[in-house]
Amino acid sequence: MLALTQCWFTRTHVPVQAGRPDSEGVFRSTCRYCERHIISWDRKVWHIADGFNLLSITGSIQKAFLFLVDTRDDCVVARFPIDHLDDESEISAFAKQIKEDRQVDAPGSFLVLRDSRKSGL
């Protein structure tokens, strides 16, 4: 018989203890339910530590972009290049428009807009 853990149903991993960030600014722990290694950048949302880490390669990306992340399914939904914009005010206006179009700030939304130029996303 296979017993499924709480995090399998809720897709929410809960750390046993969220220590200090490592040299890359990543918090590491173990999920109290499934006992798998998990990581977080903000101590709020935790992800399985195994597999492909999109955020670890952001420093090596040539072009800057905004990317839309579905935090429930842990996947990138869309990328929006921003290298054609002249300054931070244009980038902020573009980000605001994306958020409005995709209803990022709507109640119950699992979408988050992140900037590839900023560390600790």
Side-chain angles (χ1 to χ4, degrees), residues 68-102:
L68 193 61
V69 177
D70 182 331
T71 58
R72 181 182 51 188
D73 292 329
D74 289 332
C75 66
V76 175
V77 177
R79 291 188 324 164
F80 305 93
I82 57 174
D83 56 344
H84 65 285
L85 302 173
D86 293 327
D87 57 24
E88 286 300 316
S89 62
E90 286 186 17
I91 293 170
S92 294
F94 185 51
K96 182 180 177 185
Q97 185 62 48
I98 293 169
K99 286 181 175 184
E100 288 174 5
D101 291 347
R102 304 293 196 284

Side-chain angles (χ1 to χ4, degrees), residues 1-9 33-34:
M1 177 173 219
L2 178 65
L4 299 175
T5 61
Q6 179 176 337
C7 56
W8 187 88
F9 289 104
Y33 302 118
C34 67

Side-chain angles (χ1 to χ4, degrees), residues 39-51:
I39 59 174
S40 177
W41 290 270
D42 59 6
R43 289 186 177 170
K44 295 177 186 174
V45 179
W46 291 84
H47 307 278
I48 296 294
D50 303 329

